[in-house]
Amino acid sequence: MNFTSLGFLLFITVFTAGFLMLARTRLFTPLLLVSSYVFYGFWDYRFCLLLAATTLLDFYCGLRIADAPNRTVARIFMQISLATNLAILFFFKYFNFFIDSAQVALASLGLDVGHRTLSIILPVGISFYTFQNLSYTLDLHLGHLEKPERSLLRYATFVAFFPQLVAGPIVRARDLLPQIQNGPRQDVPFAFRFAGLEKIVWGYFLKLGLADNAAAVVDARFAQPEFFNALNHIIGLICFSLQIYGDFAGYSLIAIGLSQIFGYTLCPNFARPYFASGMKDFWRRWHISLSTWFRDYVYIPMGGGRTQWLRIRNLTIVMLVSGLWHGAAWTFVLWGALHAALMAAEDGVRWLARRSPLRLSGAPLMVGKLLTVGLVFLLVTLTWLPFRADDMQTVRTILGIIAEGDFSLPRGMQQMSYLVRVALFGLVVLMIDATIEFGAGRRYAGVNVVVRSAGCATLILMLLLFGNFANRSFIYFQF
């Protein structure tokens, strides 16, 4: 069920009514669980069967890990959970990818084995709830979670919690399970709920205003890249940078805001990533719940960055896995490899800078920071090319056109009305993010509610006038 659909408006209205009637009773958790499965089953009821199966598996493994007589038995059940979840994820998301890759590799050696694939439907959000399930069993095994959840009802509600089920943030069991156990907070101050409403408005502003207007520009350029010149493709890449930020950050904010209104707290997932001063800083700001998941469960267990060699090796592995997590295609692997290479290069530059006798201070330092932020945005924007492209041929085509250097302004300038809207919404997003980034946003919490309501009303009015209401699906639904 899409947050931007009329169906969701009806769903959340009915759920809110149930919340108001049952929030103080024991019936609320069953209501939340059933509502979450209705929300998820809206795409395909069969997805609910897989979600329920993985939930039962990890609930059982969690109990066996906690009650194991020794560490060896606990490790066995942790490995069962890990292997089964990854096997399910591999089958639904990567089986055809690896079969196709093997067929191509064998064909290059002169061995024709024919074309064999399966018609596999990718369950929405499987990458998200798989990692959420794994965080539970891994935390139990590592001792980060003191005791298991012994109520299947509460555990299933934690896994299926509808606001963040299909596109995050990826919430850890130690953060959300206690809230499910205690039920929605009854002492939630008005300011807390109002802040949740503001997040929802800002999330819709990012999605319907910035992302979906930018999508119209981007889709045209990637559908027929040969019809556009270098300037058009650079504009398209910048628009995709804005689109994917508005789309994914918008979903996360709506999910976090909805949870906040109903008395739950979720972890932040974005922190103004395009103000990053380096590639590592970018990943501390972008999809925070995923980057910290990989840090805690992959990077650190492999040795972290204890030595320069370990840091480069483990960082490369994490980024390649991150690329595959996003999609079963070599374009995503390339995207991950580019980020790994850029972060390794950043380490090298900083190593040289620490040994350089030159130091900047005062005004030039601020200029240098702005230039660095601009450079990071440019590099990130270029790496979005393989992420968005359907195949490697599209990547080569667009890079070739950009290399030709035709920066002439074509007559009619395709999608001009959408470009104007992107510029309008992008300017507002830039101003608000910059205000928060440079500290002035801390004073916002103390602003009168009437003034803040007027700000929300202004954003809503802009959406009604210039938003794109084509009901586009969120990008990260496919992951």
Side-chain angles (χ1 to χ4, degrees):
M1 191 178 296
N2 198 335
F3 280 165
T4 61
S5 66
L6 292 177
F8 178 74
L9 179 62
L10 175 62
F11 167 84
I12 202 63
T13 301
V14 174
F15 177 78
T16 302
F19 170 80
L20 293 173
M21 290 187 294
L22 303 176
R24 298 177 183 273
T25 72
R26 293 183 177 180
L27 294 176
F28 179 71
T29 300
L31 169 69
L32 180 56
L33 177 60
V34 171
S35 299
S36 296
Y37 269 81
V38 169
F39 175 85
Y40 190 57
F42 188 84
W43 281 282
D44 191 322
Y45 72 91
R46 291 172 294 180
F47 295 167
C48 293
L49 301 177
L50 181 63
L51 177 63
T54 57
T55 298
L56 287 169
L57 166 75
D58 290 294
F59 176 73
Y60 175 78
C61 287
L63 294 177
R64 298 286 73 79
I65 291 170
D67 298 337
N70 53 60
R71 293 288 295 174
T72 301
V73 175
R75 187 180 299 109
I76 289 172
F77 281 101
M78 181 275 291
Q79 291 171 343
I80 290 173
S81 170
L82 182 65
T84 307
N85 276 283
L86 294 182
I88 291 172
L89 183 62
F90 175 87
F91 175 76
F92 282 97
K93 194 167 183 177
Y94 304 108
F95 180 82
N96 283 337
F97 167 67
F98 282 103
I99 290 296
D100 284 341
S101 298
Q103 289 169 351
V104 171
L106 291 172
S108 67
L109 298 175
L111 300 174
D112 185 8
V113 295
H115 186 73
R116 295 177 176 84
T117 58
L118 298 177
S119 297
I120 301 173
I121 300 174
L122 179 65
V124 177
I126 187 172
S127 297
F128 288 91
Y129 70 71
T130 296
F131 274 26
Q132 187 152 314
N133 263 321
L134 284 176
S135 76
Y136 172 70
T137 52
L138 290 172
D139 277 353
L140 278 174
H141 178 69
L142 296 171
H144 298 155
L145 198 61
E146 293 183 2
K147 54 185 180 180
E149 175 53 67
R150 297 190 179 275
S151 166
L152 178 58
L153 172 66
R154 289 195 294 264
Y155 181 76
T157 304
F158 152 71
V159 176
F161 190 65
F162 78 85
Q164 48 75 234
L165 172 61
V166 294
I170 302 169
V171 183
R172 308 288 180 90
R174 58 179 180 261
D175 295 326
L176 184 56
L177 259 179
Q179 299 182 67
I180 300 292
Q181 292 164 351
N182 297 329
R185 290 171 53 191
Q186 303 300 323
D187 59 342
V188 179
F190 172 78
F192 183 81
R193 296 192 197 275
F194 186 79
L197 177 62
E198 288 178 309
K199 289 183 177 70
I200 293 172
V201 171
W202 185 236
Y204 278 112
F205 187 87
L206 288 173
K207 168 61 177 172
L208 300 175
L210 182 63
D212 285 0
N213 279 312
V217 179
V218 174
D219 291 349
R221 284 152 179 76
F222 278 88
Q224 296 178 307
E226 62 277 4
F227 292 159
F228 296 88
N229 67 3
L231 176 62
N232 262 296
H233 280 302
I234 289 173
I235 291 172
L237 287 175
I238 293 172
C239 283
F240 184 67
S241 273
L242 301 177
Q243 179 195 354
I244 195 168
Y245 170 58
D247 194 282
F248 194 19
Y251 183 96
S252 296
L253 281 169
I254 296 170
I256 294 168
L258 283 170
S259 303
Q260 201 164 321
I261 285 177
F262 296 119
Y264 297 92
T265 301
L266 302 185
C267 59
N269 214 22
F270 287 84
R272 302 165 300 283
Y274 291 147
F275 282 92
S277 57
M279 296 304 297
K280 289 184 178 179
D281 188 31
F282 173 79
W283 277 102
R284 284 189 285 266
R285 296 164 174 262
W286 179 275
H287 202 173
I288 298 168
S289 62
L290 178 67
S291 58
T292 54
W293 199 99
F294 277 123
R295 179 198 65 196
D296 295 343
Y297 301 120
V298 181
Y299 182 77
I300 291 176
M302 288 194 304
R306 290 200 299 265
T307 67
Q308 181 71 11
W309 158 245
L310 278 177
R311 181 162 58 250
I312 294 174
R313 186 202 70 176
N314 295 341
L315 190 61
T316 301
I317 292 172
V318 165
M319 292 314 303
L320 291 176
V321 172
S322 176
L324 274 176
W325 180 90
H326 281 85
W330 289 111
T331 50
F332 290 108
V333 176
L334 174 59
W335 172 77
L338 288 172
H339 274 267
L342 288 171
M343 282 190 274
E346 179 180 283
D347 275 347
V349 170
R350 288 181 174 172
W351 183 86
L352 292 173
R354 285 194 297 268
R355 286 154 179 78
S356 171
L358 298 177
R359 295 289 185 272
L360 295 175
S361 61
L365 188 61
M366 177 57 71
V367 173
K369 178 175 174 57
L370 292 176
L371 290 174
T372 301
V373 168
L375 176 61
V376 172
F377 175 76
L378 174 63
L379 292 173
V380 170
T381 297
L382 289 174
T383 62
W384 285 131
L385 172 57
F387 189 98
R388 174 59 180 81
D390 294 330
D391 49 45
M392 296 299 290
Q393 180 57 46
T394 302
V395 174
R396 289 190 289 267
T397 299
I398 292 177
L399 285 177
I401 292 171
I402 292 175
E404 291 174 0
D406 180 4
F407 296 102
S408 60
L409 193 66
R411 288 175 300 191
M413 197 61 182
Q414 293 90 340
Q415 296 85 40
M416 178 58 78
S417 63
Y418 288 111
L419 281 170
V420 172
R421 295 182 185 187
V422 171
L424 173 64
F425 284 100
L427 181 61
V428 174
V429 172
L430 175 63
M431 291 172 58
I432 292 177
D433 275 3
T435 299
I436 298 172
E437 178 69 21
F438 295 111
R442 297 193 188 105
R443 297 191 293 272
Y444 178 73
V447 174
N448 188 290
V449 171
V450 175
V451 176
R452 293 167 63 177
S453 299
C456 288
T458 302
L459 296 179
I460 293 171
L461 180 61
M462 284 186 63
L463 271 183
L464 293 175
L465 292 175
F466 306 112
N468 187 332
F469 295 91
N471 193 25
R472 289 176 178 269
S473 181
F474 286 85
I475 293 173
Y476 269 67
F477 282 3
Q478 63 186 293
F479 305 139

